Amino acid sequence: MKLCFNQATTLNNSNLVKDLEYCEKHGYDYIEIRTMDKLPEYLQDHSIDDLAHYFQTHHIKPLAFNALVFFNNRDQAGHEEIIREFKDMMEMGSKLGVQYVVAVPLVTTDKIRKADIKSSCVEVLRELSDIAKPYGLKIAVEFVGHPQCTVNTFGQAYDIVEAVDRANVGLVLDCFHFHAMGSKPEDLEKADASKIFILHIDDTEDFPIGFLTDDDRVWPGLGAIDLDHILSTLKKNGYSDVVSVELFRPEYYELDAEEAIRTAKETTLQVVSRYFDLQSVVG
């Protein structure tokens, strides 16, 4: 299994240049690039060609663009904007060697029936699949463990991906989101691991279902999530691709960026190495 760094972990105390420098130094294999803030910030003083050259000359590689946000159940104008944004991601991603675009379902206070959510997700994801195919990129759908997200459990997201039935459409399994809305362990146990493209590793303070927010995340192994069950199930099912550490904890943003990146690696390895071989990770 390869180790990846998600830029959310240093969202308020770093930038793409620093994240790349420190992730390279500490032996990460991949990085998830935040397209809503960190990439535009980088492009103020650099070009996509500069970034492509960096990846060509260093060990670390770009795993994913994170993220295409609120892709489903949009009005016509919103849908057209999603398609424009996705096409831009395809152009940039193909130049950089990005493998995935993380797609996040709509978060809303509006009540939408589950059948309408599924119908919209399947329709849009098939459209995105067609656009992505010639570029060779894949779409990784990330359900969000919050009551107001239209797709908020693993089982619901897996059902949508099965209905889409495209080889280039799969899932992000985020341990926090899996725990936060009480996703069923049995749904993961019977899942086809080939439909899980990215594993997000994290942990959380012990609050009830429906009350957890991203701020409650803690380093892997220091919280209430049953990471052992998730990791052992993935191991049994044959998953062995990428683990990406992703936290949003405000107090961690007070750390020096290199300290955060080093701690993220150390805590992740302590947990994940019980089930997966991460010996390829240097540093």
Side-chain angles (χ1 to χ4, degrees), residues 25-212:
K25 177 180 177 180
H26 290 280
Y28 284 81
D29 300 294
Y30 292 109
I31 188 167
E32 287 188 75
I33 300 171
R34 283 181 61 90
T35 52
M36 64 282 287
D37 38 47
K38 296 307 181 182
L39 183 58
E41 179 187 58
Y42 174 89
L43 292 175
Q44 291 176 7
D45 300 309
H46 304 80
S47 69
I48 285 293
D49 289 338
D50 292 334
L51 190 53
H53 181 261
Y54 183 92
F55 288 127
Q56 291 163 5
T57 55
H58 291 78
H59 171 77
I60 195 167
K61 297 295 183 281
L63 180 71
F65 279 154
N66 196 322
L68 184 73
V69 178
F70 304 164
F71 68 87
N72 59 295
N73 296 97
R74 303 292 297 273
D75 60 20
Q76 186 60 33
H79 176 71
E80 290 174 359
E81 179 57 33
I82 284 292
I83 297 302
R84 282 194 296 270
E85 184 179 353
F86 187 73
K87 288 179 177 178
D88 287 343
M89 288 180 173
M90 293 296 100
E91 294 293 336
M92 291 189 293
S94 62
K95 290 181 180 179
L96 298 178
V98 170
Q99 297 182 40
Y100 304 103
V101 169
V102 175
V104 176
L106 179 67
V107 176
T108 179
T109 57
D110 295 338
K111 289 186 176 181
I112 306 174
R113 295 185 184 277
K114 290 180 69 175
D116 294 330
I117 294 168
K118 180 177 179 179
S119 176
S120 176
C121 285
V122 170
E123 180 180 356
V124 176
L125 288 169
R126 285 179 177 169
E127 182 177 2
L128 298 177
S129 170
D130 290 339
I131 295 169
K133 188 173 181 179
Y135 292 94
L137 276 75
K138 297 182 179 181
I139 302 133
V141 180
E142 182 170 14
F143 65 96
V144 175
H146 189 279
Q148 293 180 343
C149 185
T150 51
V151 183
N152 57 26
T153 66
F154 177 85
Q156 183 189 8
Y158 189 86
D159 179 58
I160 288 167
V161 166
E162 278 200 312
V164 173
D165 194 24
R166 300 284 179 86
N168 64 348
V169 178
L171 291 175
V172 176
L173 169 55
D174 184 301
C175 296
F176 173 84
H177 292 317
F178 188 92
H179 174 87
M181 282 299 292
S183 289
K184 298 177 181 178
E186 55 266 31
D187 287 339
L188 179 59
E189 290 163 5
K190 62 187 181 185
D192 179 354
S194 69
K195 295 184 184 298
I196 301 172
F197 290 166
I198 303 171
L199 170 64
H200 281 175
I201 191 80
D202 36 45
D203 217 324
T204 184
E205 295 188 73
D206 194 10
F207 295 115
I209 289 173
F211 284 86
L212 287 158

Side-chain angles (χ1 to χ4, degrees), residues 3-6 9-10 13-14 18-28 30 60 201 219-220 222 245-247 252 254-271 278 281-283:
L3 180 64
C4 179
F5 181 78
N6 184 296
T9 309
T10 51
N13 58 338
S14 191
K18 288 182 180 180
D19 285 346
L20 287 170
E21 176 188 351
Y22 297 141
C23 285
E24 178 78 6
K25 177 180 177 180
H26 290 280
Y28 284 81
Y30 292 109
I60 195 167
I201 191 80
W219 300 121
L222 303 185
V245 58
E246 182 191 42
L247 294 95
Y252 295 169
E254 301 299 318
L255 302 173
D256 174 78
E258 183 174 8
E259 180 183 353
I261 287 169
R262 182 178 61 248
T263 304
K265 175 186 173 180
E266 291 171 351
T267 55
T268 296
L269 293 185
Q270 287 173 6
V271 174
L278 287 158
V281 179
V282 298

